[in-house]
Amino acid sequence: MNDSIDKIKHYCGIVGIHSTTERNIPQDLFFPLFSLQHRGQEGAGISYLNNGKLVTYKDLGMVSEVLGRYLEEKRTSTVGIGHVRYSTTGGNLVENVQPIQASCNKGDLSIAHNGNFSNSELLKSKLTEKGAIFGCTSDSELVLHLIAHSMQDTFYKALKETLCYLEGAFSMVMVKDNNLYVMRDPMGFRPLYIGHKDGLTVCASESCALDILDITDYRSVLPGELIVVNDDGINSEIFATSKRKAQCSFELIYFARPDSEIFDISVYESRLEMGRVLAREDGDPSQYDLVMSVPDSGNTAALGYAKESGLNYELGLTRNHYTGRSFILPSQEKRELAVKMKLHPVKEIVKGKRIILVDDSLVRGTTSKIIVKLLKAAGAKEIHVRLSAPEVKGPCFYGIDVPTKEELISNSKNPEEIAKYIGADSVKFLPVDKLKTCYKNSNDFCYACFNNDYPVEPKTGK
Ligand code: SF4
């Protein structure tokens, strides 16, 4: 499906590195950030310690565009952090790109954050009353203000106090002096991994970003864990606990890379299982001829469906990977053209066939409608759309950009009506209770945008 048209978007990915010996840290940061490009394509940046001073470089653009220069340059350092960002509509400003570096009464520090605080409005209005001035619309800046306002006598205590004010989702890395701080919220909304090799400690949103640096000894940062990495070693403590865990189930359905491990689960295996469950829900496979995916988001679940059903898995849609990041789509005609530029049917495969078409989710239905039209025009006899996500019905307050309730097609149409709207012969979603069977410790997940069971209610500033 065309990522620029009808996909739920992630806000970001983060990386932190500490080394006990001097290395080219900016270059080291490039590779894991490159591996996390799928988590944000609008901006990238790094902060690192250079001769005792914190330096930050960031800009709008892809990792290779913004940070490619560091592949050519040698800059020795021992600690740094990095960030890739996707911005919401109207928020694509360089000021919002992270890391955010600041000088305050506790010294120079820089932060990179994945997630959203569900009480950011409330905290912002309280801080504004006290005279705080915000330089960007990203709520990550709040952390810096809270640290600066803290009356605690050490930076570490001020940081811990700050973390206890925050609600919602935060996987964060911070650099101050020669220290790397790594934090994950007590409910564990967003993934975060940490690993080591020969004096090098790396943390990142997904394990694929550690693999690229050949770090194989890694683990998930625990919900509520605060880790400090410096030349004395690695110190960890649980700063807060929560009875309820709320790991984002959408991370495993769609956001994370299939070769990653997150939440101690293989993304690939869980998507295969989603496909298998979809096939079991459908029952008798003899009514279909083949299974195919909407590449790339539906690939692994489609394979799982094929394995379970015994149907052939075919590559009936070709994806053009060279179409760039985004399009301005003022009309339906141009929207169709944009989908056509990205996805094209293989006529020889689809002609006369009854097709199971697997994708991860169906949000507004606009892109699915175009894809079904393309496949039917190429001769497909029947299209049965299967989604490895349940019906998306509500917003996310924890770092995912879900369209408004009014825009979400599942709020106004049932699956039969959706099928009619997109021109498919049937549409089926993976129900929430079946999705849960694909995860170990399924109660430790958030399913709120599917079932309206919000782990933390957002707090407004009023
Ligand atoms: S509301 Fe949806 S997207 Fe947001 S954290 Fe929960 S499952 Fe993930």
Side-chain angles (χ1 to χ4, degrees):
M1 199 174 280
N2 191 316
D3 299 343
S4 61
I5 300 172
D6 194 18
K7 276 291 176 201
I8 284 178
K9 303 260 178 45
H10 211 292
Y11 283 119
C12 25
I14 55 171
V15 175
I17 297 183
H18 183 276
S19 171
T20 50
T21 53
E22 295 239 313
R23 293 172 59 107
N24 192 344
I25 294 284
Q27 195 177 92
D28 287 334
L29 286 164
F30 176 92
F31 296 104
L33 287 171
F34 190 83
S35 296
L36 295 178
Q37 186 76 84
H38 59 287
R39 296 181 74 88
Q41 292 107 50
E42 306 277 337
I46 60 170
S47 291
Y48 60 100
L49 202 62
N50 186 237
N51 294 322
K53 282 212 161 79
L54 209 48
V55 178
T56 296
Y57 182 75
K58 56 187 181 177
D59 205 347
L60 298 174
M62 306 277 273
V63 172
S64 54
E65 293 163 349
V66 178
L67 304 174
R69 54 187 283 207
Y70 292 105
L71 295 177
E72 310 285 325
E73 298 171 6
K74 182 146 179 69
R75 291 167 189 258
T76 52
S77 174
T78 51
V79 64
I81 59 173
H83 193 264
V84 286
R85 180 170 200 277
Y86 157 74
S87 71
T88 49
T89 315
N92 195 16
L93 306 167
V94 72
E95 296 81 41
N96 286 336
V97 179
Q98 295 191 19
I100 301 173
Q101 182 181 334
S103 293
C104 70
N105 51 6
K106 310 287 188 304
D108 292 349
L109 54 146
S110 188
I111 185 171
H113 170 205
N114 176 203
N116 260 152
F117 307 127
S118 50
N119 61 343
S120 60
E121 267 193 53
L122 181 68
L123 291 172
K124 257 187 191 174
S125 72
K126 280 186 179 169
L127 284 163
T128 308
E129 269 170 32
K130 287 183 187 168
I133 297 166
F134 289 89
C136 66
T137 56
S138 148
D139 61 2
S140 315
E141 202 183 2
L142 268 171
V143 180
L144 302 174
H145 281 286
L146 289 167
I147 289 170
H149 277 81
S150 172
M151 302 300 282
Q152 297 289 342
D153 57 352
T154 67
F155 174 77
Y156 186 78
K157 285 188 203 164
L159 175 59
K160 257 179 74 173
E161 182 185 85
T162 296
L163 295 178
C164 293
Y165 287 131
L166 305 174
E167 291 179 9
F170 56 90
S171 282
M172 296 193 290
V173 285
M174 191 181 281
V175 60
K176 182 181 183 302
D177 305 319
N178 187 26
N179 301 295
L180 172 68
Y181 297 87
V182 180
M183 300 139 266
R184 189 165 170 226
D185 70 75
M187 291 192 176
F189 280 98
R190 301 280 144 235
L192 190 58
Y193 269 68
I194 186 162
H196 323 274
K197 188 187 173 187
D198 304 333
L200 187 69
T201 302
V202 183
C203 67
S205 301
E206 298 178 26
S207 68
C208 69
L210 304 181
D211 292 336
I212 199 164
L213 292 177
D214 292 327
I215 291 178
T216 50
D217 175 18
Y218 53 68
R219 69 167 175 91
S220 186
V221 175
L222 298 172
E225 188 174 10
L226 165 60
I227 302 171
V228 188
V229 188
N230 53 33
D231 286 347
D232 297 331
I234 298 169
N235 281 297
S236 153
E237 75 166 306
I238 300 295
F239 66 86
T241 55
S242 166
K243 277 190 190 143
R244 181 166 182 185
K245 299 288 176 287
Q247 302 172 124
C248 173
S249 54
F250 234 133
E251 290 272 359
L252 284 159
I253 295 168
Y254 170 60
F255 302 125
R257 243 171 62 165
D259 55 333
S260 279
E261 176 189 303
I262 58 166
F263 308 138
D264 298 319
I265 293 177
S266 152
V267 177
Y268 186 84
E269 288 293 337
S270 61
R271 285 184 195 163
L272 267 188
E273 186 56 21
M274 289 167 207
R276 287 194 185 103
V277 176
L278 278 171
R280 289 200 284 274
E281 289 288 288
D282 265 337
D284 178 17
S286 67
Q287 42 188 330
Y288 313 112
D289 297 313
L290 60 91
V291 182
M292 53 185 260
S293 68
V294 177
D296 296 323
S297 51
N299 290 355
T300 319
L303 186 61
Y305 191 111
K307 281 173 183 271
E308 181 70 21
S309 63
L311 291 166
N312 280 349
Y313 179 39
E314 300 280 2
L315 304 175
L317 275 168
T318 300
R319 178 172 171 172
N320 184 338
H321 288 265
Y322 311 103
T323 51
R325 275 181 290 138
S326 57
F327 300 100
I328 297 165
L329 304 161
S331 68
Q332 178 64 14
E333 202 180 315
K334 288 197 175 152
R335 195 190 295 260
E336 283 195 30
L337 196 58
V339 176
K340 262 186 174 168
M341 284 167 71
K342 199 150 195 171
L343 295 171
H344 206 263
V346 182
K347 284 197 193 80
E348 297 71 22
I349 290 176
V350 304
K351 200 168 175 197
K353 298 294 192 318
R354 299 165 300 169
I355 296 167
I356 290 283
L357 179 68
V358 181
D359 201 359
D360 65 288
S361 57
L362 201 150
V363 183
R364 299 181 184 88
T366 45
T367 306
S368 305
K369 191 174 183 169
I370 298 167
I371 293 170
V372 172
K373 189 175 165 190
L374 288 175
L375 289 168
K376 290 246 166 144
K381 192 174 168 192
E382 294 175 17
I383 307 287
H384 301 273
V385 176
R386 298 293 179 263
L387 293 314
S388 53
E391 293 167 87
V392 183
K393 293 196 165 179
C396 174
F397 305 109
Y398 320 116
I400 302 297
D401 186 21
V402 177
T404 61
K405 274 194 165 184
E406 293 68 38
E407 288 176 289
L408 294 168
I409 194 168
S410 290
N411 280 324
S412 58
K413 291 181 172 48
N414 64 31
E416 292 73 35
E417 291 165 335
I418 294 172
K420 202 168 170 198
Y421 173 76
I422 65 172
D425 295 273
S426 71
V427 168
K428 281 188 192 168
F429 296 85
L430 189 65
V432 174
D433 61 324
K434 300 292 176 190
L435 175 64
K436 287 183 180 180
T437 66
C438 304
Y439 301 154
K440 67 176 180 188
N441 302 327
S442 60
N443 289 335
D444 289 349
F445 283 82
C446 171
Y447 306 91
C449 53
F450 309 126
N451 66 4
N452 213 28
D453 177 15
Y454 287 91
V456 197
E457 288 296 332
K459 289 190 180 134
T460 67
K462 311 285 173 233

